[in-house]
C-alpha cells in the first residue's frame, strides 16, 4: 500500500512534496519526463520581473518553478479551488520559502459568483473541475468563489501578464472568456494551455473550441518538441482533434519572443 506521508522530490530548482496515492504525484516522483519540454521552456522563457498567472496550480509544479525564475521583482499568482489540493500547494510554497507568491483558493470563470467544483476521489484529484468528468471514481462537490480573469487583474492592479498557464480540466475556454480585456490590451500574455477533447467534452465542447478562441484573436499556436531539456516549438493550425497535450499560444505582436525555440 502506498504510504500516506508526502515524499519530497527535487526538480532542478525547487522541491515538491508529492503524494504517492495521487496519480499526478506519482508521475512527478517516479518519472523524470513529466511535461519535461514544457517545464524546460518555462524555465528558459521566464526572467526576473515577469508576471505569471498559474490557473489550475495543483501542487504548485509551475508555481514554484515560475517563482524561482521571476524572483522578488516579479509576481506569481496561483489559483487552486479544491480545498485539499490548495493546502498541498501552500505546503510546497512554504517548503520553497516563497512567501511572495499570491495563492488563491478560488476558480477563474466567465463570470463571478459562487460555483460548484466536482472533486474526484481516489488517485484522480487532478481531474477535479467545474464539470463532472467521465470517470468511474468517487465524486464529491465543494462550493468555491469564482472571479474573472479581467476582474482579478483589475483588483490586483496588474499592468501586464507575461505568461498565463491554464490547466483546468476542460474549463480553459471559460477562463479565457472571462479575460477579454487582458487578451485585447498591450502587452498580451503568452498562453501555455492544456487542450484535450475528453476534458472539453464534459462542458459540451471540443478542444478546438478553445484553440479557435485564441486563434481568432491573432494568437499562433505551437506544439512542443525537441530533445530532452532542449525544447523546440513548431507553429500549428487549429487542429480537428486534441487527444492530449499542452500547447503554447503566442500573440502575433510578441512572436519575436519565441524565435529562438522555433524548430527548423
Amino acid at each position: 500500500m502506498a504510504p500516506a506521508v508526502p515524499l519530497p522530490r527535487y526538480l532542478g530548482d525547487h522541491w515538491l512534496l508529492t503524494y504517492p496515492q495521487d496519480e499526478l504525484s506519482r508521475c512527478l516522483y517516479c518519472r523524470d519526463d513529466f511535461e519535461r519540454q514544457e517545464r524546460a521552456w518555462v524555465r528558459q522563457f521566464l526572467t526576473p520581473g515577469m508576471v505569471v498567472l498559474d490557473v489550475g496550480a495543483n501542487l504548485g509544479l509551475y508555481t514554484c518553478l515560475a517563482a524561482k525564475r521571476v524572483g522578488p521583482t516579479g509576481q506569481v499568482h496561483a489559483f487552486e479551488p479544491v480545498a485539499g489540493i490548495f493546502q498541498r500547494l501552500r505546503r510546497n510554497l512554504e517548503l520553497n520559502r516563497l512567501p511572495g507568491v499570491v495563492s488563491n483558493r478560488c476558480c477563474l470563470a466567465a463570470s463571478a459568483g459562487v460555483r460548484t467544483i466536482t472533486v474526484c476521489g481516489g488517485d484522480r484529484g487532478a481531474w477535479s473541475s467545474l464539470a463532472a468528468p467521465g470517470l468511474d471514481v468517487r465524486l464529491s462537490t465543494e462550493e468555491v468563489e469564482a472571479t474573472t480573469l479581467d476582474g482579478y487583474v483589475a483588483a490586483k492592479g496588474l499592468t501586464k501578464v507575461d505568461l498565463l498557464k491554464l490547466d483546468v480540466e476542460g474549463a480553459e475556454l471559460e477562463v479565457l472568456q472571462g479575460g477579454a480585456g487582458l487578451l485585447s490590451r498591450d502587452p498580451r500574455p503568452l498562453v501555455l494551455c492544456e487542450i484535450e477533447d475528453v476534458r472539453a467534452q464534459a462542458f459540451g465542447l471540443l478542444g478546438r473550441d478553445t484553440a479557435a478562441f485564441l486563434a481568432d484573436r491573432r494568437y499562433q499556436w505551437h506544439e512542443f518538441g525537441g530533445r530532452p531539456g532542449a525544447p523546440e516549438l513548431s507553429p500549428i493550425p487549429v487542429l480537428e482533434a486534441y487527444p492530449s497535450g499542452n500547447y503554447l499560444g503566442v500573440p502575433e505582436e510578441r512572436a519575436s519572443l519565441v524565435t529562438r525555440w522555433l524548430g527548423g
Side-chain angles (χ1 to χ4, degrees):
M1 180 179 296
V5 295
L7 299 175
R9 178 77 156 88
Y10 187 61
L11 296 170
D13 46 18
H14 65 280
W15 288 90
L16 211 66
L17 291 176
T18 64
Y19 299 79
Q21 67 272 33
D22 173 73
E23 182 183 48
L24 175 61
S25 284
R26 288 198 300 271
C27 288
L28 292 170
Y29 189 79
C30 300
R31 291 166 43 192
D32 188 44
D33 63 346
F34 180 78
E35 298 190 0
R36 177 188 289 168
Q37 296 304 81
E38 295 93 320
R39 288 187 286 138
W41 179 82
V42 169
R43 186 173 285 111
Q44 294 172 20
F45 172 72
L46 293 179
T47 57
M50 284 188 169
V51 177
V52 179
L53 304 186
D54 185 359
V55 186
N58 204 282
L59 300 175
L61 174 65
Y62 285 94
T63 301
C64 295
L65 167 58
K68 290 288 187 178
R69 296 299 300 156
V70 305
T73 60
Q75 297 184 51
V76 178
H77 300 256
F79 303 82
E80 176 50 55
V82 179
I85 300 176
F86 180 76
Q87 291 306 313
R88 293 178 177 183
L89 167 66
R90 292 290 307 162
R91 290 185 71 182
N92 280 319
L93 295 178
E94 293 166 3
L95 175 66
N96 288 281
R97 299 180 181 179
L98 297 171
V101 172
V102 181
S103 56
N104 302 277
R105 196 204 154 210
C106 71
C107 67
L108 294 181
S111 59
V114 177
R115 297 292 296 269
T116 299
I117 297 289
T118 299
V119 181
C120 298
D123 65 351
R124 299 297 181 90
W127 290 50
S128 303
S129 183
L130 287 171
L135 292 174
D136 185 20
V137 297
R138 175 176 51 84
L139 302 177
S140 60
T141 59
E142 295 178 5
E143 299 297 304
V144 66
E145 288 291 331
T147 187
T148 65
L149 189 54
D150 283 344
Y152 184 86
V153 167
K156 295 298 183 181
L158 301 180
T159 58
K160 68 168 184 173
V161 175
D162 295 287
L163 180 64
L164 171 63
K165 174 257 176 182
L166 280 178
D167 186 350
V168 288
E169 304 306 311
E172 289 80 13
L173 178 58
E174 185 164 351
V175 174
L176 294 171
Q177 288 172 332
L182 179 64
L183 297 174
S184 62
R185 79 182 196 192
D186 185 32
R188 298 193 293 169
L190 278 67
V191 181
L192 175 60
C193 185
E194 181 185 62
I195 307 179
E196 192 168 358
D197 285 330
V198 69
R199 307 289 201 271
Q201 285 166 359
F203 293 81
L205 301 168
L206 293 173
R208 73 182 321 275
D209 295 315
T210 299
F213 183 85
L214 282 186
D216 289 344
R217 286 156 179 78
R218 298 177 289 108
Y219 271 74
Q220 172 66 61
W221 286 104
H222 300 75
E223 62 181 357
F224 289 90
R227 303 185 310 278
E232 289 185 357
L233 296 173
S234 299
I236 57 172
V238 174
L239 306 175
E240 287 300 318
Y242 289 85
S244 178
N246 294 309
Y247 301 88
L248 181 69
V250 181
E252 64 176 15
E253 71 276 9
R254 305 190 79 187
S256 61
L257 292 179
V258 299
T259 301
R260 60 177 285 205
W261 293 283
L262 295 181

